[in-house]
């Protein structure tokens, strides 16, 4: 559902719906918070590097949450960190999206029983859009998670709630 | 290079009742147990003596011996009263190539151990960790605050054998 497969009625004019146009803009440049928590962050950095090249999806790490659209929770969320994660999320401008990457961020991972210091899933403090399973997930898995998020954004609407 | 037995004899001669015993139960490492209130003067001697010259603290670790009386609570968890908490010190001489393990034990209800920060500077954060995880109080430590857990953590010391998770921390649910 690209933008440019629409009809050209006159020279240099493309006809599209407002929803499609805004969604296309949003999903094509998802700037992420330059932020990593544990070993998943290494895979996230590998995804950003030249082999997997996150930038071809328009994902650029930004050094401040105030310029970001998506936050990738890449690693173990400790209680000490959870308060900071929440603050980072709150500083992001709307519309904002969350990708939870890896078992620890999804549900506590190997710390689920005896991890006295680990939050059992980042969805206990912020709302998550896409969960990427793995320990840690390979870059391909993170790319698929991002494409799932793009799919979700593509189906959003200004007037009705998103159907995924 | 000196064996633990030789070092023990030297220490026993100099410090007498401050050195408690030489634990030599193979296959475990040999350990010299000393009194918790005099550990700092003993390691100072071990560092400064020309024959011994222990110039490096490899590691300092706290242990919950869990040797008190255990009573089962209604929810299936255990509560321990009495017994001891211990601190182990692994020190070595990079110069003379020998090493030594020291141990102190303090009562669980009032686990006070003298800090060795004055002798080995690197003990600072090790002692803070032992305090954070097990609640061992190091006397004369320059800054005995929590190092890993949040500063406002008020639910006890997580590596004690009878530690129980709180239900909530700052509105976040703790159990799975």
């Amino acid at each position: 559902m690209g933008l440019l497969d629409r009809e050209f009625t006159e020279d240099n004019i493309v006809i599209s719906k407002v929803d499609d146009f805004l969604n296309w803009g949003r999903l094509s440049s998802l700037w992420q918070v330059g932020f990593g928590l544990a070993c998943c962050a290494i895979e996230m950095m590998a995804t950003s590097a030249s082999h997997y090249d996150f930038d071809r999806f328009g994902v650029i790490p930004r050094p401040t949450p105030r310029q970001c659209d998506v936050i990738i929770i890449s690693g173990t969320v400790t209680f000490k960190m959870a308060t900071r994660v929440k603050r980072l999320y709150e500083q992001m401008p709307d519309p904002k999206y969350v990708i939870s990457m890896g078992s620890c961020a999804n549900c506590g991972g190997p710390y689920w029983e005896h991890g006295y210091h680990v939050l059992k899933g980042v969805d206990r403090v912020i709302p998550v859009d896409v969960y990427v399973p793995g320990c840690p997930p390979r870059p391909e898995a993170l790319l698929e998670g991002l494409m799932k998020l793009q799919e979700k954004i593509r189906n959003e609407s200004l007037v009705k709630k998103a159907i995924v | 290079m000196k064996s633990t037995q030789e070092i023990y004899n030297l220490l026993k001669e100099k410090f007498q009742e401050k050195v408690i015993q030489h634990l030599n139960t193979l296959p475990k490492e040999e350990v010299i147990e000393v009194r918790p209130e005099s550990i700092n003067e003993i390691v100072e001697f071990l560092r400064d003596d020309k024959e011994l010259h222990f110039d490096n603290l490899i590691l300092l670790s706290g242990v919950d011996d869990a040797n008190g009386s255990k009573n089962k609570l209604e929810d299936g968890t255990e509560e321990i009263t009495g017994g001891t908490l211990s601190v182990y010190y692994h020190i070595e001489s990079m110069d003379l190539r020998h090493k030594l393990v020291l141990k102190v034990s303090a009562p669980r209800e009032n686990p006070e151990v003298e800090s060795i920060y004055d002798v080995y500077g690197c003990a600072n954060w090790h002692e803070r960790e032992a305090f954070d995880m097990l609640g061992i109080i190091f006397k004369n430590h320059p800054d005995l605050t929590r190092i890993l857990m949040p500063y406002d953590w008020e639910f006890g010391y997580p590596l004690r054998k009878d530690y129980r998770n709180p239900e909530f921390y700052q509105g976040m649910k703790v159990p799975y």
Side-chain angles (χ1 to χ4, degrees), chain A residues 7 32 35 52 54 73 76 80 91 93 100 111 116 149 159:
Chain A
E7 194 181 342
Q32 63 145 323
F35 158 78
Y52 294 94
F54 236 175
I73 309 298
T76 316
K80 216 172 176 180
Q91 286 179 344
S100 165
Y111 308 100
Y116 54 85
L149 180 62
V159 283

Side-chain angles (χ1 to χ4, degrees), chain A residues 21-146:
Chain A
F21 179 68
L22 288 178
N23 291 344
W24 172 74
R26 277 175 191 163
L27 69 87
S28 306
S29 75
L30 285 166
W31 288 1
Q32 63 145 323
V33 186
F35 158 78
L37 287 178
C39 34
C40 281
I42 305 292
E43 297 296 308
M44 188 185 70
M45 286 182 263
T47 317
S48 293
S50 47
H51 265 276
Y52 294 94
D53 197 12
F54 236 175
D55 201 3
R56 68 194 151 128
F57 296 94
V59 179
I60 308 170
R62 300 298 297 174
T64 161
R66 291 169 200 274
Q67 300 172 350
C68 291
D69 308 293
V70 60
I71 181 169
I72 300 175
I73 309 298
S74 51
T76 316
V77 186
T78 58
F79 290 120
K80 216 172 176 180
M81 200 66 202
T83 50
R84 276 79 165 172
V85 167
K86 193 167 183 215
R87 174 172 291 187
L88 280 177
Y89 177 77
E90 283 166 353
Q91 286 179 344
M92 289 163 63
D94 278 318
K96 51 193 171 182
Y97 303 96
V98 179
I99 296 177
S100 165
M101 179 183 180
S103 293
C104 295
N106 291 345
C107 64
Y111 308 100
W112 71 277
E113 192 173 12
H114 299 295
Y116 54 85
H117 60 305
V118 176
L119 185 69
K120 314 295 185 300
V122 73
D123 50 7
R124 290 187 181 183
V125 286
I126 56 175
V128 175
D129 291 286
V130 177
Y131 297 86
V132 180
C135 187
R138 282 191 57 83
E140 292 94 328
L142 182 58
L143 288 177
E144 177 160 8
L146 183 84

Side-chain angles (χ1 to χ4, degrees), chain B residues 39-52:
Chain B
I39 178 72
N40 61 332
E41 43 180 311
I42 289 169
V43 289
E44 190 168 12
F45 167 74
L46 288 168
R47 184 192 65 179
D48 293 340
D49 188 85
K50 287 234 166 15
E51 295 279 288
L52 299 166

